[in-house]
Short mmCIF file of all heavy atoms in Angstrom, two decimals:
data_model
loop_
_atom_site.label_atom_id
_atom_site.label_comp_id
_atom_site.label_asym_id
_atom_site.label_seq_id
_atom_site.Cartn_x
_atom_site.Cartn_y
_atom_site.Cartn_z
N GLU N 737 39.36 161.86 155.53
CA GLU N 737 38.53 162.77 154.72
C GLU N 737 37.17 163.17 155.30
O GLU N 737 36.72 164.34 155.20
CB GLU N 737 38.32 162.14 153.29
CG GLU N 737 39.67 162.00 152.48
CD GLU N 737 39.44 161.41 151.10
OE1 GLU N 737 38.35 160.99 150.87
OE2 GLU N 737 40.37 161.50 150.33
N ALA N 738 36.62 162.13 155.96
CA ALA N 738 35.29 162.51 156.69
C ALA N 738 35.42 163.48 157.78
O ALA N 738 34.55 164.23 158.10
CB ALA N 738 34.77 161.16 157.17
N ALA N 739 36.66 163.52 158.39
CA ALA N 739 36.93 164.46 159.45
C ALA N 739 36.72 165.85 159.08
O ALA N 739 36.14 166.77 159.72
CB ALA N 739 38.27 164.21 160.06
N PHE N 740 37.09 166.18 157.72
CA PHE N 740 36.95 167.52 157.21
C PHE N 740 35.37 167.84 157.05
O PHE N 740 34.89 168.86 157.27
CB PHE N 740 37.59 167.68 155.85
CG PHE N 740 39.09 168.01 155.99
CD1 PHE N 740 39.95 166.98 155.86
CD2 PHE N 740 39.52 169.34 156.03
CE1 PHE N 740 41.25 167.26 156.02
CE2 PHE N 740 40.77 169.61 156.10
CZ PHE N 740 41.81 168.62 156.15
N LEU N 741 34.59 166.87 156.57
CA LEU N 741 33.13 167.07 156.37
C LEU N 741 32.51 167.39 157.76
O LEU N 741 31.53 168.21 157.75
CB LEU N 741 32.57 165.80 155.77
CG LEU N 741 32.96 165.37 154.35
CD1 LEU N 741 32.42 164.00 153.99
CD2 LEU N 741 32.60 166.42 153.33
N VAL N 742 32.94 166.65 158.82
CA VAL N 742 32.29 166.95 160.08
C VAL N 742 32.66 168.28 160.60
O VAL N 742 31.73 169.07 161.05
CB VAL N 742 32.78 165.87 161.05
CG1 VAL N 742 32.24 166.13 162.58
CG2 VAL N 742 32.39 164.54 160.70
N ALA N 743 33.91 168.74 160.45
CA ALA N 743 34.35 170.04 160.98
C ALA N 743 33.69 171.09 160.17
O ALA N 743 33.32 172.27 160.68
CB ALA N 743 35.87 170.17 160.85
N GLU N 744 33.52 170.93 158.82
CA GLU N 744 32.88 171.89 157.96
C GLU N 744 31.43 172.10 158.41
O GLU N 744 30.88 173.21 158.43
CB GLU N 744 32.92 171.45 156.51
CG GLU N 744 32.24 172.36 155.56
CD GLU N 744 32.16 171.69 154.11
OE1 GLU N 744 31.78 170.48 154.13
OE2 GLU N 744 32.20 172.41 153.13
N ARG N 745 30.71 171.04 158.75
CA ARG N 745 29.23 171.10 159.30
C ARG N 745 29.33 171.95 160.62
O ARG N 745 28.38 172.74 160.86
CB ARG N 745 28.65 169.85 159.49
CG ARG N 745 28.23 169.22 158.14
CD ARG N 745 27.54 167.81 158.37
NE ARG N 745 26.97 167.34 157.13
CZ ARG N 745 25.78 167.47 156.72
NH1 ARG N 745 24.93 168.13 157.53
NH2 ARG N 745 25.32 166.87 155.60
N LYS N 746 30.30 171.69 161.40
CA LYS N 746 30.34 172.46 162.67
C LYS N 746 30.51 173.94 162.41
O LYS N 746 30.00 174.76 163.28
CB LYS N 746 31.56 171.94 163.66
CG LYS N 746 31.28 170.59 163.99
CD LYS N 746 32.59 170.00 164.84
CE LYS N 746 32.40 168.58 165.21
NZ LYS N 746 33.52 168.06 165.92
N LEU N 747 31.13 174.34 161.36
CA LEU N 747 31.34 175.65 160.99
C LEU N 747 30.04 176.20 160.36
O LEU N 747 29.95 177.45 160.17
CB LEU N 747 32.53 175.90 160.14
CG LEU N 747 33.08 177.30 159.95
CD1 LEU N 747 33.57 177.87 161.33
CD2 LEU N 747 34.37 177.33 158.94
N GLY N 748 29.17 175.34 159.83
CA GLY N 748 27.94 175.77 159.27
C GLY N 748 28.10 176.22 157.81
O GLY N 748 27.21 177.04 157.40
N VAL N 749 29.11 175.71 157.10
CA VAL N 749 29.08 176.15 155.70
C VAL N 749 29.01 175.07 154.67
O VAL N 749 29.36 175.26 153.51
CB VAL N 749 30.51 177.02 155.54
CG1 VAL N 749 30.48 178.25 156.42
CG2 VAL N 749 31.72 176.06 155.92
N HIS N 750 28.69 173.90 155.03
CA HIS N 750 28.65 172.76 154.06
C HIS N 750 27.70 172.92 152.96
O HIS N 750 28.05 172.56 151.80
CB HIS N 750 28.44 171.49 154.85
CG HIS N 750 27.12 171.33 155.45
ND1 HIS N 750 26.72 172.08 156.63
CD2 HIS N 750 26.02 170.69 155.10
CE1 HIS N 750 25.46 171.75 156.88
NE2 HIS N 750 25.02 171.01 155.97
N GLU N 751 26.49 173.55 153.28
CA GLU N 751 25.58 173.62 152.23
C GLU N 751 25.96 174.72 151.12
O GLU N 751 25.76 174.45 149.91
CB GLU N 751 24.23 174.09 152.88
CG GLU N 751 23.55 172.98 153.72
CD GLU N 751 22.19 173.48 154.33
OE1 GLU N 751 21.89 174.64 154.16
OE2 GLU N 751 21.51 172.59 154.86
N ARG N 752 26.56 175.73 151.63
CA ARG N 752 27.12 176.74 150.62
C ARG N 752 28.22 176.13 149.71
O ARG N 752 28.19 176.22 148.52
CB ARG N 752 27.69 177.96 151.32
CG ARG N 752 28.20 178.99 150.39
CD ARG N 752 28.89 180.13 151.15
NE ARG N 752 29.67 180.96 150.24
CZ ARG N 752 30.52 181.87 150.58
NH1 ARG N 752 30.72 182.11 151.94
NH2 ARG N 752 31.04 182.67 149.75
N ARG N 753 29.05 175.35 150.25
CA ARG N 753 30.12 174.61 149.48
C ARG N 753 29.62 173.68 148.57
O ARG N 753 29.94 173.61 147.33
CB ARG N 753 31.12 173.86 150.32
CG ARG N 753 32.36 173.38 149.74
CD ARG N 753 32.21 171.88 149.48
NE ARG N 753 31.99 171.14 150.60
CZ ARG N 753 31.63 169.84 150.58
NH1 ARG N 753 31.50 169.18 149.47
NH2 ARG N 753 31.33 169.16 151.75
N GLN N 754 28.47 172.87 148.93
CA GLN N 754 27.90 171.96 148.07
C GLN N 754 27.20 172.64 146.79
O GLN N 754 27.30 172.17 145.70
CB GLN N 754 26.85 171.03 148.77
CG GLN N 754 27.56 170.11 149.75
CD GLN N 754 26.52 169.41 150.58
OE1 GLN N 754 25.46 169.83 150.86
NE2 GLN N 754 26.97 168.21 151.20
N ALA N 755 26.62 173.87 147.10
CA ALA N 755 25.92 174.50 146.06
C ALA N 755 26.88 175.31 145.16
O ALA N 755 26.67 175.42 143.95
CB ALA N 755 24.92 175.57 146.63
N ARG N 756 27.99 175.68 145.66
CA ARG N 756 29.02 176.54 144.94
C ARG N 756 29.87 175.75 144.02
O ARG N 756 30.08 176.25 142.98
CB ARG N 756 29.81 177.26 146.05
CG ARG N 756 30.97 178.13 145.46
CD ARG N 756 31.59 178.92 146.43
NE ARG N 756 32.72 179.66 145.88
CZ ARG N 756 33.55 180.50 146.58
NH1 ARG N 756 33.45 180.65 147.89
NH2 ARG N 756 34.52 181.13 146.06
N PHE N 757 30.41 174.61 144.49
CA PHE N 757 31.33 173.94 143.65
C PHE N 757 30.79 172.67 143.01
O PHE N 757 30.05 171.85 143.61
CB PHE N 757 32.55 173.49 144.47
CG PHE N 757 33.39 174.73 145.10
CD1 PHE N 757 33.23 175.12 146.38
CD2 PHE N 757 34.21 175.31 144.24
CE1 PHE N 757 33.87 176.21 146.81
CE2 PHE N 757 34.98 176.40 144.70
CZ PHE N 757 34.76 176.91 145.97
N GLU N 758 31.24 172.47 141.79
CA GLU N 758 30.90 171.24 140.94
C GLU N 758 32.18 170.54 140.67
O GLU N 758 33.03 171.08 139.78
CB GLU N 758 30.16 171.58 139.76
CG GLU N 758 29.73 170.39 138.85
CD GLU N 758 29.07 170.81 137.53
OE1 GLU N 758 28.65 171.99 137.52
OE2 GLU N 758 29.02 169.97 136.67
N ARG N 759 32.43 169.33 141.19
CA ARG N 759 33.70 168.63 140.84
C ARG N 759 33.76 168.07 139.39
O ARG N 759 32.69 167.60 138.99
CB ARG N 759 33.94 167.48 141.92
CG ARG N 759 34.18 167.91 143.28
CD ARG N 759 34.32 166.76 144.28
NE ARG N 759 35.37 165.83 143.87
CZ ARG N 759 35.77 164.86 144.71
NH1 ARG N 759 35.16 164.66 145.85
NH2 ARG N 759 36.78 164.03 144.29
N ILE N 760 34.86 168.27 138.70
CA ILE N 760 34.91 167.78 137.47
C ILE N 760 36.06 166.85 137.15
O ILE N 760 36.07 166.16 136.22
CB ILE N 760 35.13 168.95 136.39
CG1 ILE N 760 36.31 169.83 136.86
CG2 ILE N 760 33.74 169.83 136.41
CD1 ILE N 760 36.61 171.03 135.99
N ALA N 761 37.06 166.79 138.06
CA ALA N 761 38.15 165.85 137.92
C ALA N 761 38.97 165.69 139.20
O ALA N 761 38.80 166.52 140.10
CB ALA N 761 39.09 166.37 136.79
N ASP N 762 39.73 164.68 139.29
CA ASP N 762 40.51 164.40 140.45
C ASP N 762 42.01 164.05 139.97
O ASP N 762 42.18 163.48 138.95
CB ASP N 762 40.06 163.21 141.31
CG ASP N 762 38.72 163.55 142.04
OD1 ASP N 762 38.61 164.73 142.45
OD2 ASP N 762 37.82 162.66 142.09
N ILE N 763 42.89 164.35 140.79
CA ILE N 763 44.34 163.81 140.77
C ILE N 763 44.57 163.04 141.87
O ILE N 763 44.64 163.58 143.11
CB ILE N 763 45.32 165.03 140.59
CG1 ILE N 763 44.89 166.01 139.40
CG2 ILE N 763 46.69 164.51 140.40
CD1 ILE N 763 45.82 167.21 139.43
#
Side-chain angles (χ1 to χ4, degrees):
E737 293 183 348
F740 278 93
L741 296 174
V742 176
E744 181 191 34
R745 280 181 176 266
K746 292 175 181 177
L747 198 58
V749 294
H750 65 287
E751 292 181 352
R752 178 187 174 190
R753 188 259 307 168
Q754 290 172 339
R756 176 177 176 179
F757 293 100
E758 178 185 347
R759 289 177 62 171
I760 55 176
D762 290 323
I763 305 173

